[in-house]
Structures are given as structure tokens and as C-alpha cells.
Amino acid sequence: QVQLVQSGAEVKKPGASVKVSCKASGYSFTSYDINWVRQATGQGLEWMGWMNPNSGNTGYAQKFQGRVIMTRNTSISTAYMELSSLRSEDTAVYYCARGKAWFHPWGQGTLVTVSS
Amino acid sequence: EIVLTQSPGTLSLSPGERATLSCRASQSVSSSYLAWYQQKPGQAPRLLIYGASSRAAGIADRFSGSGSGTDFTLTISRLEPEDFAVYYCQQYGSSRWTFGQGTKVEIK
């Protein structure tokens, strides 16, 4: 079945970077965009950006421009989201999700905690 | 950026009742690019409706979506115990996506 499996929880200090992975299975990885969405505890969903795994093209929400990089390794069907200059407000669950106009399926989420 | 406003913030209903959730956009949205998601505590969101009115695979037919332009609605015809959750609308336009702030459907 189509599935996205993300890497495990991370704890980072302010100013550090985090890189979250999202491994796809059950479909052709290069045929669908991958998006990243985050959710702070008790809050709503916030779209961060998209990546076309075939071309490597990306697009980022203005809020994250200059701080986020989305990449992929097609040989292992894995997408990555790296967020730098972390601050406490970046503490959230980060999701990858497949799709262009709508997202399905979603990864299980990766909790990133930023704390000194 | 298109802003999506969902109402009400919380809907308190009993099992068996009908739920009507609203999603209003700050400017016109293509119906093809309006989706609804359900999220339960500790879980990732799940796609319910895409293209404003098409049910995703495996979604019960008590869920239906409608609307166009700036006003969209998700209706749950008869609430089942497993339907109590938070629901988000989402729109796509100009390579940007935005979500509504969510409506929580809670047991009355």
C-alpha cells in the first residue's frame, strides 16, 4: 500500500538545524509531489513547502524562505526537509504528505522539540 | 494569500445528529482545489474530500462536500462515535496551499 514513513523524534537546541526524512513506498516516488506541513501542539496545520521528486524543484512558504531546504534521494525514494536556525516556536510535529492539489497519504509525523 | 475561515470553531453534537461545517475563502477558490481532512488526537490528518465534493477512497458516504467560489461545506449526515475529531479545509492556488484553522466536532 502507499505509505510514507518518517524518521524519529528529534530534540534540538536553539540555533541548530534539523533534518527530517520521509520514505515513500507502494508507488513511483518521482510521480507525485511531496509537501511538508507542521503542527504545533494544540494548533492547526501550517504548510511549509513542496518538492517535485522528479525534477527536484521546490517552493517554500514565504514564512520559511531562507530557513528551509527540501531535497530528495530518488535511489531510496526518500524526501528530506531541513529547517535551520531553530527557535522554540519551531517545536511542532512535522508531516510529509504526497500530492499536488490535495494530500494523501500523510506520514505519521515527526516531533521536533527545540529546547535549551 | 487566500485565507480560509472555518466556522464554527467547535460543534457540540450527539451521535446520530447531522453536522454542517463551513469553510469560507477570502477570495474565490477553484472547486478542483478544495479539500477536507479529518484529524484525531495523536494521528496524522486523513483526506476525506477532494475537488470540493469527491470522497476519497474508503471514506463513508455519510461524509459529503459541497460549495463553490468562496463558500464550501462539509456535511456529516449522521455522526458516528468515530467521527468526533477536528476537521480542516485546505485550498491550493498558485503553488501555495493554505488550511483553515479547523472545526472541532465534540460529543455533546
Side-chain angles (χ1 to χ4, degrees), chain A residues 35 37 39 43-45 47 50 60 95 100-104 106-107, chain B residues 32-33 35 37 39 43-45 47 50 88 90 92 95-97 99:
Chain A
N35 286 264
V37 176
Q39 184 174 40
Q43 302 301 307
L45 302 169
W47 175 75
W50 65 272
Y60 305 135
Y95 294 101
K100 182 74 172 182
W102 52 84
F103 301 163
H104 174 74
W106 295 56
Chain B
S32 299
Y33 299 142
Y37 300 86
Q39 188 178 33
Q43 296 184 16
L47 177 68
Y50 64 92
Y88 294 95
Q90 174 207 35
Y92 162 70
S95 295
R96 296 291 182 267
W97 289 256
F99 291 92

Side-chain angles (χ1 to χ4, degrees), chain B residues 19-39:
Chain B
T20 302
L21 287 67
S22 172
C23 176
R24 180 161 291 176
S26 59
Q27 54 188 282
S28 186
V29 172
S30 168
S31 296
S32 299
Y33 299 142
L34 194 288
W36 289 92
Y37 300 86
Q38 176 193 66
Q39 188 178 33

Side-chain angles (χ1 to χ4, degrees), chain A residues 26-87:
Chain A
Y27 73 99
S28 173
F29 176 63
T30 53
S31 296
Y32 296 84
D33 290 356
I34 293 287
N35 286 264
W36 290 88
V37 176
R38 77 177 187 179
Q39 184 174 40
T41 302
Q43 302 301 307
L45 302 169
E46 181 175 33
W47 175 75
M48 299 179 68
W50 65 272
M51 181 191 64
N52 180 312
N54 185 46
S55 63
N57 288 345
T58 56
Y60 305 135
Q62 190 169 9
K63 175 177 180 176
F64 300 101
Q65 290 273 5
R67 245 189 0 124
V68 70
I69 299 174
M70 295 176 186
T71 57
R72 87 290 191 211
N73 182 333
T74 56
S75 67
I76 56 172
S77 299
T78 300
Y80 303 92
M81 186 283 298
E82 183 171 17
L83 187 63
S84 60
S85 302
L86 290 169
R87 36 211 187 228

Side-chain angles (χ1 to χ4, degrees), chain B:
Chain B
E1 175 184 297
I2 296 177
V3 176
L4 298 178
T5 302
Q6 293 186 238
S7 61
T10 302
L11 201 49
S12 299
L13 295 168
S14 301
E17 291 193 290
R18 182 185 188 89
T20 302
L21 287 67
S22 172
C23 176
R24 180 161 291 176
S26 59
Q27 54 188 282
S28 186
V29 172
S30 168
S31 296
S32 299
Y33 299 142
L34 194 288
W36 289 92
Y37 300 86
Q38 176 193 66
Q39 188 178 33
K40 296 180 181 179
Q43 296 184 16
R46 176 174 73 141
L47 177 68
L48 295 177
I49 301 287
Y50 64 92
S53 60
S54 298
R55 269 189 303 277
I59 300 303
D61 60 6
R62 63 181 179 274
F63 291 93
S64 63
S66 63
S68 63
T70 60
D71 289 297
F72 297 87
T73 300
L74 174 70
T75 302
I76 311 171
S77 58
R78 287 178 57 86
L79 283 164
E80 297 288 339
E82 62 268 28
D83 298 336
F84 292 92
V86 179
Y87 293 83
Y88 294 95
C89 58
Q90 174 207 35
Q91 71 83 32
Y92 162 70
S94 302
S95 295
R96 296 291 182 267
W97 289 256
T98 54
F99 291 92
Q101 82 280 17
T103 290
K104 181 179 182 180
V105 179
E106 65 176 22
I107 299 176
K108 186 174 182 180

